[in-house]
């Protein structure tokens, strides 16, 4: 059979050649439009054991079309469907059999896409006009980067597949915006389409070195929004934005791992007494030492002496075993993949992964609480969770807070109509 499925009969014939696993790449209408606002143009599918992949046309000017629901049903019949980007695929396919199988595409070049984007900068369906043969070449190159024989669902990969489902849930909710203020503070490219009506979409990416997700799209870095007036552009649809910010997250996580207790008081108040300084200086001293190295003057303090032992142990295992394995996620940092590593930097990588892993557990507990409600979790930024709380569902806030408490985390809450004008919240009203 030719690689392009050119008739309904060919598709039905192809669908009978069933295996347990396949690789799927969705070719959307435009590579730079958010998947929440996009549609499928073509589907590339490579069944396990086949010598080539196949293109199933959904909407392209070179071929007839097969209804996407029919193709979706066929893909759902596979036991495992490996995809390069599970989160994007979840906008169009059933998540139950999707397996995130990222590949390194940094060194891959496909000039045809750059050419068409330059020639037709205002088209939002440019992939319908790029020749199918060129799409096929790209997908074949993607597939060459993976091997079914080497793929195994380890505890690590299963953990991050579940994590991707969490970030999809947050991302697909979108964030309500004041569209006039978005134009005042940001310059999103309307051609790329990340805004529909009064909702803007971010895009999480867990395929980073530490697995700490980045989150940016269309010129806006949602993971590092400036704490200035620009945050006024992000508003509540339901009634109130509630920001839950975990207090002193990294010191808390490290303390749990080394068996140190800060007691009931604030971590920085606790350390201030040991340093003999005020709260503000205490906070600066603690973070400088965790991220830059422990000062000789404070190595005798139990928290830092135990932290130094942790640093030394991680560094020894990294060099002796060739890797370290992170708690919760089972993610491994390999020596041969991180040539410019040092002891303090390794701790930073390790704690960023631990932070992300702990947050994924939190998300897995919180998302079922708000499922089916008007209340949404609209933004996640490392140590902070932003909820759009419906005025009719304030009782959910207590259940949400109980999740953070169950992990022994101290947190601060603020609320307001927009993301900038937030006031401290201490009661569930």
């Amino acid at each position: 059979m030719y690689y392009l499925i050119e008739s309904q009969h060919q598709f039905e014939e192809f669908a009978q050649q069933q295996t347990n696993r396949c690789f799927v790449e969705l070719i959307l209408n435009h590579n730079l439009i958010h998947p929440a606002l996009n549609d499928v143009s073509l589907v590339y599918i490579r069944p396990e054991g086949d010598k080539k992949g196949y293109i199933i046309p959904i909407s392209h000017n070179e071929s007839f079309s097969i209804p996407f629901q029919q193709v979706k049903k066929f893909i759902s019949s596979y036991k495992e469907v490996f995809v390069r980007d599970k989160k994007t695929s979840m906008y169009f396919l059933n998540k139950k059999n999707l397996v995130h199988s990222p590949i390194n595409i940094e060194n891959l070049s496909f000039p045809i896409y750059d050419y068409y984007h330059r020639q037709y900068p205002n088209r939002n369906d440019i992939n319908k006009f790029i020749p199918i043969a060129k799409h096929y070449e790209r997908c074949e190159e993607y597939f060459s980067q993976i091997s079914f024989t080497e793929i195994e669902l380890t505890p690590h990969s299963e953990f991050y597949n579940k994590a991707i489902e969490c970030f999809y849930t947050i991302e697909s909710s979108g964030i309500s915006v004041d569209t006039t203020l978005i134009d005042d503070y940001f310059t999103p490219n309307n051609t790329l389409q990340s805004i529909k009506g009064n909702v803007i979409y971010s895009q999480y990416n867990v395929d980073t070195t530490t697995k700490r997700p980045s989150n940016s799209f269309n010129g806006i870095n949602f993971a590092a929004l400036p704490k200035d007036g620009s945050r006024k552009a992000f508003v509540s649809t339901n009634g109130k934005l509630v920001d839950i910010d975990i207090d002193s997250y990294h010191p808390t996580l490290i303390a749990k791992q080394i068996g140190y207790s800060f007691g009931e008081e604030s971590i920085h108040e606790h350390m201030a007494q040991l340093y003999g300084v005020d709260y503000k200086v205490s906070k600066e001293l603690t973070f400088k030492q965790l991220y830059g190295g422990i000062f000789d003057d404070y190595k005798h303090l139990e928290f830092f002496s135990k932290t130094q032992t942790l640093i030394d142990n991680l560094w020894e295992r990294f060099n002796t075993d060739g890797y370290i394995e992170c708690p919760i996620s089972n993610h491994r940092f390999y020596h041969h993949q991180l040539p410019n590593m040092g002891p303090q930097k390794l701790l930073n990588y390790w704690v960023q992964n631990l932070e992300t892993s702990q947050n994924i557990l939190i998300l897995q507990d919180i998302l079922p609480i708000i499922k089916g409600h008007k209340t949404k979790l609209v933004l996640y930024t490392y140590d902070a969770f932003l909820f759009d709380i419906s005025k009719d569902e304030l009782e959910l806030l207590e259940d949400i807070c109980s999740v953070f408490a169950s992990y022994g985390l101290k947190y601060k809450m603020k609320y307001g109509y927009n993301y900038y004008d937030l006031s401290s919240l201490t009661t569930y009203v």
Side-chain angles (χ1 to χ4, degrees):
M1 183 181 292
Y2 188 55
Y3 78 83
L4 178 62
I5 307 297
E6 297 184 281
S7 68
Q8 181 67 31
H9 174 72
Q10 283 188 356
F11 174 72
E12 292 172 358
E13 186 180 75
F14 171 70
Q16 293 177 1
Q17 302 174 14
Q18 185 72 7
T19 60
N20 287 328
R21 305 197 295 184
C22 68
F23 173 79
V24 167
E25 175 76 12
L26 300 179
I27 296 97
L28 306 184
N29 285 346
H30 198 295
N31 296 340
L32 301 177
I33 289 177
H34 196 281
L37 307 176
N38 223 323
D39 286 305
V40 178
S41 173
L42 304 163
V43 176
Y44 169 90
I45 182 168
R46 178 79 172 253
E48 182 178 20
D50 211 312
K51 294 182 179 180
K52 66 175 181 293
Y54 301 85
I55 291 285
I56 303 173
I58 308 300
S59 178
H60 195 281
N61 72 333
E62 285 185 352
S63 67
F64 95 113
S65 299
I66 294 179
F68 181 64
Q69 287 302 317
Q70 191 176 351
V71 178
K72 179 178 177 179
K73 183 178 179 181
F74 167 63
I75 293 174
S76 296
S77 67
Y78 279 88
K79 183 178 180 180
E80 293 175 334
V81 176
F82 294 89
V83 290
R84 182 177 58 87
D85 184 347
K86 177 175 177 176
K87 184 165 56 57
T88 292
S89 300
M90 285 177 65
Y91 282 92
F92 308 99
L93 301 173
N94 295 326
K95 70 177 183 180
K96 65 176 184 178
N97 59 352
L98 296 181
V99 179
H100 186 61
S101 182
I103 59 175
N104 184 4
I105 63 174
E106 291 183 0
N107 297 322
L108 301 181
S109 177
F110 306 100
I112 189 71
Y113 291 93
D114 294 332
Y115 170 78
Y116 270 82
H117 289 165
R118 287 195 304 270
Q119 291 294 110
Y120 308 99
N122 296 318
R123 290 208 69 101
N124 60 13
D125 58 353
I126 194 63
N127 282 342
K128 290 184 179 182
F129 299 90
I130 295 175
I132 291 178
K134 293 300 180 180
H135 290 305
Y136 182 75
E137 289 175 7
R138 177 169 65 94
C139 293
E140 286 281 279
E141 183 63 34
Y142 284 168
F143 179 79
S144 71
Q145 305 297 311
I146 75 166
S147 170
F148 282 119
T149 59
E150 295 177 358
I151 294 174
E152 181 182 357
L153 283 179
T154 63
H156 159 259
S157 64
E158 289 181 352
F159 185 83
Y160 282 104
N161 268 273
K162 293 177 181 177
I164 289 167
E165 294 177 14
C166 291
F167 292 120
Y168 163 79
T169 301
I170 303 170
E171 178 183 302
S172 60
S173 295
I175 311 171
S176 295
V177 294
D178 182 322
T179 52
T180 59
L181 292 180
I182 279 287
D183 291 336
D184 287 344
Y185 290 111
F186 303 99
T187 55
N189 185 336
N190 292 329
T191 304
L192 302 188
Q193 294 185 21
S194 60
I195 302 176
K196 183 177 182 180
N198 70 330
V199 174
I200 192 168
Y201 293 93
S202 64
Q203 193 168 67
Y204 294 91
N205 171 33
V206 299
D207 295 325
T208 62
T209 303
T210 66
K211 294 295 184 179
R212 193 188 207 198
S214 60
N215 182 16
S216 63
F217 194 78
N218 203 354
I220 301 177
N221 185 354
F222 294 89
L225 289 171
K227 294 183 178 180
D228 58 16
S230 63
R231 291 194 176 197
K232 292 179 181 179
F234 302 94
V235 300
S236 171
T237 296
N238 293 314
K240 292 180 180 178
L241 290 180
V242 176
D243 182 50
I244 299 180
D245 192 341
I246 299 174
D247 188 38
S248 307
Y249 205 2
H250 286 183
T252 298
L253 292 172
I254 291 173
K256 287 185 177 182
Q257 292 295 314
I258 62 177
Y260 183 83
S261 174
F262 291 105
E264 296 300 318
E265 60 191 336
S266 159
I267 288 175
H268 298 304
E269 289 174 349
H270 174 93
M271 296 304 297
Q273 295 177 27
L274 299 177
Y275 294 138
V277 299
D278 62 25
Y279 181 95
K280 182 179 179 181
V281 175
S282 171
K283 185 175 181 178
E284 292 174 356
L285 281 172
T286 297
F287 285 119
K288 280 182 179 179
Q289 294 180 86
L290 288 182
Y291 303 135
I294 298 170
F295 302 160
D296 289 340
D297 290 347
Y298 301 117
K299 283 185 176 180
H300 67 283
L301 298 179
E302 183 183 356
F303 173 70
F304 286 120
S305 66
K306 288 186 173 182
T307 298
Q308 187 62 57
T309 299
L310 171 65
I311 294 170
D312 294 341
N313 289 339
L314 290 173
W315 185 240
E316 181 179 1
R317 296 205 309 270
F318 185 69
N319 288 284
T320 302
D321 300 337
Y323 68 90
I324 59 168
E325 188 167 283
C326 300
I328 304 178
S329 69
N330 300 116
H331 177 70
R332 290 183 175 183
F333 290 118
Y334 286 97
H335 189 282
H336 69 276
Q337 294 176 344
L338 300 168
N340 298 316
M341 189 54 64
Q344 202 67 37
K345 186 176 180 181
L346 184 62
L347 175 72
N348 294 340
Y349 277 37
W350 177 87
V351 79
Q352 284 186 23
N353 184 273
L354 179 57
E355 166 207 89
T356 303
S357 304
Q358 178 68 81
N359 286 340
I360 290 166
L361 296 182
I362 291 170
L363 291 172
Q364 288 177 333
D365 289 344
I366 286 177
L367 292 176
I369 293 173
I370 61 178
K371 184 177 181 180
H373 291 84
K374 296 178 183 177
T375 293
K376 304 295 181 184
L377 174 56
V378 296
L379 188 63
Y380 156 87
T381 51
Y382 311 141
D383 60 355
F385 300 72
L386 185 66
F387 295 86
D388 192 344
I389 302 283
S390 171
K391 61 183 179 180
D392 301 322
E393 298 173 343
L394 293 178
E395 71 281 357
L396 291 177
L397 188 54
E398 187 168 2
D399 295 332
I400 292 168
C401 290
S402 69
V403 172
F404 293 97
S406 70
Y407 288 101
L409 299 172
K410 297 173 183 176
Y411 55 89
K412 299 173 183 176
M413 287 193 295
K414 293 182 178 181
Y415 77 101
Y417 172 70
N418 65 61
Y419 195 25
Y420 178 73
D421 297 313
L422 298 176
S423 303
S424 295
L425 177 65
T426 56
T427 56
Y428 307 115
V429 296

